Amino acid sequence: MSKVIAHSLFTEFDVSLFKAGKHYRLYEKFGSHITTVKGIEGTYFAVWAPSAKEVSVIGDFNYWNDSEHQLNVRWDSSGIWEGFIPHVGKGDVYKYKIKSNNNNIVTEKSDPYARRCEHPPKTASIVWEDNYGWKDKKWMKSRKKNNALDAPYSVYEVHLGSWKKQIEDDRFLSYTELATELVDYVDEMNFTHVEFMPVMEYPYDPSWGYQLTGYFAPTSRFGYPDEFKFLVDKFHEKGIGVILDWVPSHFPSDAHGLGNFDGSNLYEHPDVRKGYHQDWKSLIFNYGRNEIKSFLISNALFWLDQYHADGLRVDAVASMLFLDYSRKDGEWEPNEYGGRENLEAISFIKEMNVAVYENYPDVQTIAEESTSFPKVSSPVFSGGLGFGMKWMMGWMHDTLDFYAKEPIYRKHNQNELTFSLNYAFTENFMLPLSHDEVVYGKKAIVDKMPGDEWQKFGNLRLLYSLMFMHPGTKLLFQGGEFGQTSEWNFNGSLDWHLLEYDVHKGAQTLVKELNKLYKKEPALHEKQFSHEGFEWIDHGDHKNSVLSFIRKGKNEADNIIVVLNLTPVPRENYRIGIPKKGTLKQVFNSDDNKYYGTGNFKTKKLTSNKKEWNGRKNSIELNLPPLGMIAFKYK
């Protein structure tokens, strides 16, 4: 006989919101919740399974016997099964056993709303709650200015499993260990934000976390949920924002996951042309189903609410926007207007962004979107998708292609570097050098560069210097900051021993000081998304492979003049036009000794003369270092 007591956390209003796609706090209702009913301590369970004819909670507490604890289906045709099980509590392991009306299919599923999951390869859910005492009140109160579009925003992208390993035991660092080592490192490097590749529970390490099964549970690989909160708290203590990778684009078909959940296409689209990703061999959410919208938007808000995340970087947005994404003719069906846009996914994305910014106006959503789809980072009310920022994939591809060329050929390809400024202000762009650029034979960033070791690192310093001077926010993947020489290995650790060598230490120091300069100088961030923040001096000197431009802040006195020499040949007595007469002081030189540059070009200040150049009445003469960037301000 069933030992389930009838109980519900759902009101009729909750159910109507859920069915309308407008319930954004479903994690407070679905899943397992420790509570007391009629004086008895136990756990309330609720799961959505509209095609089920029977749903049982199975676990250690009933020896995985599906006849012990059968949930009750609600009377309102919502498809919600629920009930209270006495004496089940924190730490108990469980799954749902579902018998379907659809061909009597039987599935055993982990809880889509579980707050904690077993350590892979185990796949069950765990009843869990914590009463973590947040200490980040100061950060939460002030983060609006730190996350603002006119604030410095420099992101260190991290894969928690491979950033650093505990060598003696050959294991991951725990959330608690990372709360010291990683937090201190990101702070020392002067990054403003950290971005975690997905921390939600996932079964398969080689997916890097992008194939999720536990959408509401931080992975157990590194510790407990409250320990992950502690890690976030420690970043906030140092004034560093935390961005989480979020994957609403697809999910794996693992037997315990969301696929074929109740014997039907519940979470995935039933049409294989819209419900299956050929590239990733995974399933695609049914964005036109209201309950799925409630699930996904609730999940986005969950991480902002329960884990104090400061932003969400949304993965694979392009795959969501287009019905023909990575599909041949005949493998997709046009929308109702004959177009290739996925109208249901676009509607979902807009609703998600509106919900995020209405509830958490001081965070950012960032789209990983690789096409020319318009107005990705424009507000929904003005016809946009509503993201705060968009990855500038075109800049990344063009820039890396340029730097891979031998310097002798660069004069013929300088437009690869300058083209990005033609469209730099059509979106709020983030410049990404992400994990995707250092895997699958693409080589480490420094290893893409031509020449001997000095030239490779000179190019690397020049690449990072231009990145930080270019309009837009910044993102750099772990290891890139010190010139990791091997491709990223998710199963290993970064090669921290390289920092014993001056050339790697120099690259690391350069990134540290570029971050510092980006934060300190208003001209580098105040107008980073506006054409008013950038002005060319000369982009046409292909013969010498030299670029010069001005970055502008709100105050003219903050403006910075930037000059780059893209070859290993020094350019002596090189003249550029400047906005007005005066004396300029150097604020940065990528060729400095401390960065492992030559150290031979130490211009500290320059006085203009009244010689017309570059269409300007005043100019200065510079000695440009090889593969170097120098930046000046008026005194």
Side-chain angles (χ1 to χ4, degrees):
M1 182 173 171
S2 172
K3 301 180 180 66
V4 173
I5 296 173
H7 185 68
S8 183
L9 295 182
F10 287 88
T11 64
E12 287 184 31
F13 187 54
D14 285 323
V15 173
S16 66
L17 286 176
F18 173 51
K19 291 165 75 172
K22 299 295 183 183
H23 201 310
Y24 301 152
R25 304 279 175 176
L26 287 179
Y27 52 90
E28 296 175 352
K29 307 294 177 177
F30 280 115
S32 56
H33 297 271
I34 298 169
T35 188
T36 301
V37 174
K38 298 178 181 177
I40 303 170
E41 292 183 357
T43 299
Y44 165 80
F45 293 88
V47 63
W48 181 50
S51 290
K53 61 181 176 183
E54 189 177 295
V55 177
S56 301
V57 183
I58 56 175
D60 288 344
F61 47 84
N62 61 18
Y63 304 100
W64 303 90
N65 180 351
D66 64 342
S67 65
E68 284 285 303
H69 296 111
Q70 294 180 6
L71 297 179
N72 306 307
V73 66
R74 286 183 63 91
W75 55 269
D76 51 19
S77 302
S78 61
I80 298 170
W81 295 74
E82 61 185 349
F84 173 81
I85 304 178
H87 313 304
V88 171
K90 185 174 179 177
D92 282 331
V93 177
Y94 72 100
K95 281 187 176 180
Y96 297 116
K97 188 162 187 177
I98 302 170
K99 295 178 182 176
S100 180
N101 279 312
N102 186 14
N103 297 319
N104 292 314
I105 293 170
V106 178
T107 60
E108 284 190 11
K109 297 293 186 179
S110 58
D111 188 343
Y113 293 86
R115 302 294 183 92
R116 187 179 163 214
C117 301
E118 285 189 302
H119 194 299
K122 293 183 177 180
T123 59
S125 303
I126 301 174
V127 177
W128 201 255
E129 68 174 23
D130 65 68
N131 295 306
Y132 183 78
W134 287 94
K135 300 179 179 65
D136 63 351
K137 188 174 181 181
K138 180 181 176 184
W139 165 264
M140 296 297 281
K141 196 172 180 180
S142 65
R143 72 174 176 177
K144 184 174 183 178
K145 64 179 175 62
N146 296 303
N147 282 334
L149 294 176
D150 61 355
Y153 206 98
S154 180
V155 181
Y156 188 55
E157 185 191 21
V158 174
H159 177 262
L160 290 177
S162 62
W163 180 71
K164 186 185 284 188
K165 284 201 165 182
Q166 219 283 348
I167 303 298
E168 292 79 10
D169 303 330
D170 187 30
R171 64 169 177 81
F172 304 126
L173 294 182
S174 67
Y175 291 130
T176 306
E177 290 167 323
L178 290 161
T180 299
E181 294 203 37
L182 178 60
V183 170
D184 286 349
Y185 182 73
V186 176
D187 181 45
E188 178 195 348
M189 290 300 296
N190 293 314
F191 286 98
T192 65
H193 291 73
V194 68
E195 178 183 319
F196 297 141
M197 292 167 68
V199 297
M200 303 80 185
E201 193 61 82
Y202 57 99
Y204 186 52
D205 283 349
S207 80
W208 312 334
Y210 290 99
Q211 299 273 11
L212 307 182
T213 49
Y215 270 76
F216 291 82
T219 179
S220 53
R221 287 167 174 80
F222 313 113
Y224 295 97
D226 52 325
E227 291 173 331
F228 180 59
K229 291 178 181 177
F230 177 70
L231 172 59
V232 175
D233 217 353
K234 283 297 181 181
F235 271 113
H236 288 171
E237 186 180 299
K238 295 284 190 179
I240 297 165
V242 178
I243 304 164
L244 302 182
D245 270 16
W246 186 57
V247 192
S249 49
H250 63 113
F251 58 93
S253 56
D254 294 56
H256 68 288
L258 297 178
N260 198 37
F261 190 81
D262 60 354
S264 72
N265 301 123
L266 189 61
Y267 286 88
E268 67 271 29
H269 200 287
D271 184 341
V272 69
R273 294 171 296 182
K274 296 181 180 179
Y276 183 71
H277 256 307
Q278 298 169 112
D279 289 359
W280 304 314
K281 305 294 185 283
S282 56
L283 304 173
I284 303 170
F285 285 104
N286 185 353
Y287 303 110
R289 190 162 191 169
N290 284 337
E291 294 92 342
I292 300 302
K293 287 196 283 191
S294 285
F295 169 79
L296 286 171
I297 296 174
S298 289
N299 187 243
L301 267 57
F302 170 81
W303 294 98
L304 303 172
D305 173 27
Q306 297 289 301
Y307 285 87
H308 289 201
D310 303 292
L312 299 172
R313 176 268 194 188
V314 184
D315 183 61
V317 172
S319 73
M320 300 168 67
L321 294 177
F322 296 105
L323 296 165
D324 64 344
Y325 181 86
S326 200
R327 296 181 192 274
K328 299 172 185 172
D329 289 346
E331 295 177 346
W332 63 282
E333 184 179 48
N335 63 36
E336 60 189 281
Y337 303 109
R340 53 195 282 260
E341 296 79 14
N342 187 333
L343 302 179
E344 293 173 341
I346 290 169
S347 176
F348 156 71
I349 288 169
K350 291 180 177 181
E351 288 182 46
M352 180 276 296
N353 277 318
V354 168
V356 166
Y357 284 108
E358 279 184 350
N359 287 276
Y360 301 96
D362 52 355
V363 306
Q364 293 291 349
T365 60
I366 304 161
E368 188 227 358
E369 204 285 309
S370 54
T371 75
S372 56
F373 193 93
K375 304 182 80 168
V376 170
S377 57
S378 293
V380 171
F381 64 75
S382 65
L385 289 182
F387 287 99
M389 295 180 225
K390 169 182 169 169
W391 274 19
M392 198 176 192
M393 311 291 273
W395 168 87
M396 179 269 297
H397 287 301
D398 289 346
T399 300
L400 292 180
D401 284 349
F402 177 87
Y403 276 94
K405 290 177 171 64
E406 292 285 349
I408 194 170
Y409 302 119
R410 290 181 176 175
K411 61 185 176 184
H412 305 299
N413 296 278
Q414 200 157 298
N415 63 306
E416 289 185 347
L417 276 193
T418 59
F419 180 67
S420 61
L421 273 304
N422 290 343
Y423 63 94
F425 309 111
T426 59
E427 300 276 3
N428 298 336
F429 279 119
M430 173 177 280
L431 280 54
L433 292 174
S434 75
H435 65 275
D436 278 326
E437 307 318 310
V438 291
V439 288
Y440 297 145
K442 293 181 183 177
K443 300 191 278 193
I445 298 289
V446 71
D447 207 32
K448 299 176 192 286
M449 308 297 171
D452 58 18
E453 183 186 68
W454 191 91
Q455 286 198 31
K456 281 180 180 290
F457 277 85
N459 275 302
L460 187 74
R461 293 191 297 272
L462 191 59
L463 166 65
Y464 292 158
S465 298
L466 176 56
M467 177 183 181
F468 275 82
M469 296 300 111
H470 191 290
T473 55
K474 331 294 176 186
L475 178 138
L476 186 61
F477 182 58
Q478 62 181 36
E481 77 278 11
F482 61 80
Q484 169 101 2
T485 50
S486 58
E487 282 194 345
W488 171 52
N489 173 14
F490 74 91
N491 217 15
S493 172
L494 295 184
D495 296 329
W496 293 102
H497 64 276
L498 292 175
L499 286 168
E500 297 170 13
Y501 302 97
D502 289 344
V503 65
H504 293 277
K505 190 70 179 173
Q508 184 192 48
T509 303
L510 176 100
V511 172
K512 182 190 301 186
E513 298 207 356
L514 282 169
N515 271 324
K516 188 176 179 180
L517 187 73
Y518 177 45
K519 290 198 283 189
K520 177 185 174 185
E521 295 294 343
L524 298 181
H525 57 258
E526 282 184 342
K527 296 183 177 182
Q528 58 194 343
F529 300 128
S530 169
H531 66 89
E532 295 176 352
F534 181 90
E535 181 183 335
W536 282 114
I537 294 175
D538 188 0
H539 60 76
D541 187 1
H542 303 273
K543 181 182 175 183
N544 290 302
S545 293
V546 173
L547 292 174
S548 51
F549 56 85
I550 307 169
R551 289 299 309 277
K552 300 178 175 182
K554 295 173 183 175
N555 186 337
E556 186 183 348
D558 294 326
N559 291 357
I560 292 179
I561 295 171
V562 180
V563 191
L564 298 102
N565 177 10
L566 301 165
T567 74
V569 179
R571 306 291 180 195
E572 296 188 350
N573 303 318
Y574 187 88
R575 184 172 293 275
I576 64 166
I578 57 173
K580 60 182 182 180
K581 69 177 184 179
T583 302
L584 286 82
K585 62 175 181 177
Q586 180 180 289
V587 294
F588 196 84
N589 184 343
S590 71
D591 188 56
D592 199 299
N593 279 123
K594 60 186 172 182
Y595 311 137
Y596 204 71
T598 69
N600 295 330
F601 298 81
K602 299 180 178 177
T603 307
K604 292 299 179 187
K605 68 177 183 177
L606 293 161
T607 302
S608 68
N609 51 49
K610 205 165 185 178
K611 185 170 185 178
E612 192 168 327
W613 209 261
N614 299 132
R616 299 168 189 269
K617 293 180 179 178
N618 297 279
S619 60
I620 52 171
E621 267 192 357
L622 306 163
N623 291 328
L624 300 179
L627 296 173
M629 183 207 81
I630 49 178
F632 296 91
K633 285 177 71 174
Y634 282 96
K635 285 190 75 171

